[in-house]
Amino acid sequence: MSPSGPPAVLRPPASLGVIGGGQLGRMFLQAAQRMGYRAGVLSASDDAPAAQVAHWSVVAPSDHLPALRAFADRAEAVTVEFENVSAPALRWLARRRPVRPGWRTVWVSQNRIREKSFLTRHRIPHAPWHLVRTGDDLEAAVEAVGLPLILKTASSGYDGKGQVRVDRARDATAAWSSLGHVACVAEGWVDFQAEVSVVVARGRDGQAVTYPVGQNRHDRHILDSTVMPAAVGPIIAQEARRLALTVSQALGTVGVLTVEFFLTAEGRLLINELAPRPHNSGHLTIEAAVSSQFEQQVRALCGLPLGMTNLVSPAAMVNVLGDLWTGGEPDWEAALRADPGVKLHLYGKRTPSTGRKMGHLTVLDPDPEAALARALAARAALKPRVARTRVVTGRG
Ligand code: ATP
Ligand code: MG
């Protein structure tokens, strides 16, 4: 970074860097490359989904100082594809290069205690919660949030990992033990009628745009499908988008941020969690919106004007998990033949495992529920063709 600071706008073919080698990094790189940028990745493996498509890669853990130095030498601006990046590493990078989102947004959203404290402090609606660091806290938590509750580890959770539901007070101790007595939040159970999310992109000038609300269905705590726009009516949709803007403003985020909500049985929106990045529920914006969530990540990172978030069509996305490989490689042609409107995305992961996100399917249809039905039908057509791939049980 020059003494006068970074240039206000980074123009193609500047070199952009993303920390994290997963599918979100891959789709960021693809969006950046389409706009003419050079784009590289700091990744733990040279065969990770993002590393496979990158113009350049630095292969190392994200908090390895020599690797960060090499990364900062090549990347003129830095973004992240996951929240578990060490905040000191991001601060170190931010002294050399523009880092968007900044360390504070990442630091708040990578830890549930900080995240819930932030929401509480800003009076942003969320489920009742209580901090658990000791056995006494646990007892107080049961009292404070009621039963059933969910114990969630403060850090490192994703796809429902590090979570246990507690139905009876006498089970709380065993539940906390099963999580290794690490710092947790105890969250009151929310009787929701729907789960929705809003992706918001915010520029350096504070201007922000939101996408239409996505409606998410989970299976075994893993996102299974998203439909956009959500069938929640205009008042709730507007409120969700307003809350997402409030969060991004309160955090001072520059970049893309996703807000996950519960819509309660009584029609209240409660924030579940924040992700300082594009989100699985926004993948359908690649085909369905004028500008995708990944393009917005590029634009915000480079100081370009943000793009339009309008949908060109309602759409649905279904995830393709490693479970589909149980009988061998899925039959992609069958899904594509059955419905020529289906868009196939595969992330290039070589080892399918149960619950691992391997790809997704998107379908555009004027009727959002028809889009979902078609996407589900296409996924059902993915019957294995040849029995030759072994599915291992392990990391998602
Ligand atoms: P991801 O990163 O994939 O979003 P995660 O591991 O961070 O997942 P959460 O979003 O906290 O986990 O929870 C995963 C899912 O578990 C939620 O989308 C919801 O379906 C269910 N869940 C979590 N908390 C609650 C709650 N308090 N009440 C009811 N259901 C919940
Ligand atoms: Mg979640």
Side-chain angles (χ1 to χ4, degrees):
M1 201 183 286
S2 71
S4 55
V9 177
L10 269 177
R11 297 187 177 83
S15 182
L16 312 180
V18 61
I19 300 178
Q23 62 269 20
L24 295 168
R26 180 180 174 105
M27 290 183 270
F28 164 79
L29 294 177
Q30 290 167 334
Q33 290 166 346
R34 207 179 48 183
M35 292 178 75
Y37 289 95
R38 305 284 305 166
V41 63
L42 176 60
S43 162
S45 142
D46 64 357
D47 192 38
Q52 288 172 16
V53 304
H55 285 133
W56 55 267
S57 339
V58 174
V59 179
S62 62
D63 53 0
H64 185 235
L65 195 60
L68 282 175
R69 218 171 257 133
F71 183 66
D73 281 346
R74 304 201 67 170
E76 291 170 62
V78 173
T79 188
V80 299
E81 67 120 29
F82 67 115
E83 46 274 39
N84 292 319
V85 180
S86 115
L90 278 186
R91 273 207 300 266
W92 184 89
L93 273 172
R95 287 200 293 272
R96 285 152 186 87
R97 299 295 191 190
V99 176
R100 297 174 183 146
W103 69 268
R104 187 166 170 270
T105 296
V106 177
W107 183 76
V108 168
S109 50
Q110 72 187 193
N111 177 290
R112 292 188 198 273
I113 298 170
R114 291 195 286 265
E115 189 174 83
K116 306 267 187 215
S117 305
F118 161 82
L119 295 173
T120 306
R121 208 167 49 245
H122 289 272
R123 299 173 192 276
I124 297 169
H126 54 278
W129 70 283
H130 198 279
L131 174 69
V132 176
R133 280 209 179 100
T134 66
D136 286 349
D137 288 344
L138 186 61
E139 238 173 77
V142 173
E143 200 55 41
V145 308
L147 292 164
L149 60 78
I150 306 198
L151 267 181
K152 300 182 178 182
T153 58
S155 52
S156 314
Y158 69 99
D159 290 346
K161 293 185 173 64
Q163 300 195 8
V164 191
R165 178 177 152 139
V166 178
D167 288 289
R168 300 172 307 185
R170 63 173 185 273
D171 299 335
T173 314
W176 194 38
S177 295
S178 76
L179 296 173
H181 293 125
V182 296
C184 284
V185 298
E187 203 180 290
W189 184 260
V190 178
D191 184 18
F192 57 79
Q193 51 163 305
E195 289 191 81
V196 299
S197 53
V198 174
V199 178
V200 47
R202 188 167 177 274
R204 219 162 61 133
D205 57 1
Q207 295 291 326
V209 291
T210 57
Y211 284 89
V213 180
Q215 186 159 351
N216 304 323
R217 292 174 183 89
H218 291 79
D219 183 16
R220 293 164 295 153
H221 296 280
I222 304 171
L223 184 69
D224 187 59
S225 67
T226 299
V227 174
M228 195 181 284
V232 292
I235 294 171
I236 285 166
Q238 200 183 5
E239 177 65 2
R241 291 173 84 162
R242 189 188 66 79
L243 283 168
L245 287 173
T246 303
V247 169
S248 72
Q249 200 171 10
L251 280 170
T253 306
V254 179
V256 173
L257 171 85
T258 307
V259 182
E260 296 179 12
F261 301 89
F262 298 123
L263 177 60
T264 70
E266 302 81 45
R268 284 188 66 211
L269 283 166
L270 301 178
I271 290 184
N272 171 27
E273 62 171 350
L274 313 175
R277 50 168 171 79
H279 193 260
N280 196 167
S281 63
H283 289 357
L284 51 70
T285 61
I286 292 175
E287 289 93 359
V290 174
S291 325
S292 78
Q293 59 173 353
F294 302 102
E295 181 177 334
Q296 305 284 27
Q297 190 178 12
V298 176
R299 287 174 178 242
L301 179 62
C302 296
L304 294 172
L306 297 174
M308 262 169 69
T309 55
N310 302 33
L311 297 184
V312 295
S313 163
M317 183 259 3
V318 295
N319 270 332
V320 171
L321 300 185
D323 311 47
L324 278 169
W325 272 250
T326 308
E329 187 73 18
D331 186 353
W332 307 116
E333 298 95 293
L336 301 182
R337 201 180 304 116
D339 187 340
V342 169
K343 305 294 283 184
L344 170 67
H345 295 251
L346 287 172
Y347 308 144
K349 297 181 184 176
R350 308 239 191 257
T351 323
S353 61
T354 313
R356 188 171 201 214
K357 291 172 179 169
M358 303 294 286
H360 68 267
L361 305 174
T362 300
V363 175
L364 273 52
D365 193 294
D367 172 0
E369 281 306 313
L372 178 62
R374 286 172 55 195
L376 290 169
R379 189 172 62 183
L382 289 175
K383 294 277 178 321
R385 210 154 44 98
V386 276
R388 58 180 156 85
T389 317
R390 201 166 61 89
V391 178
V392 296
T393 304
R395 220 195 96 92

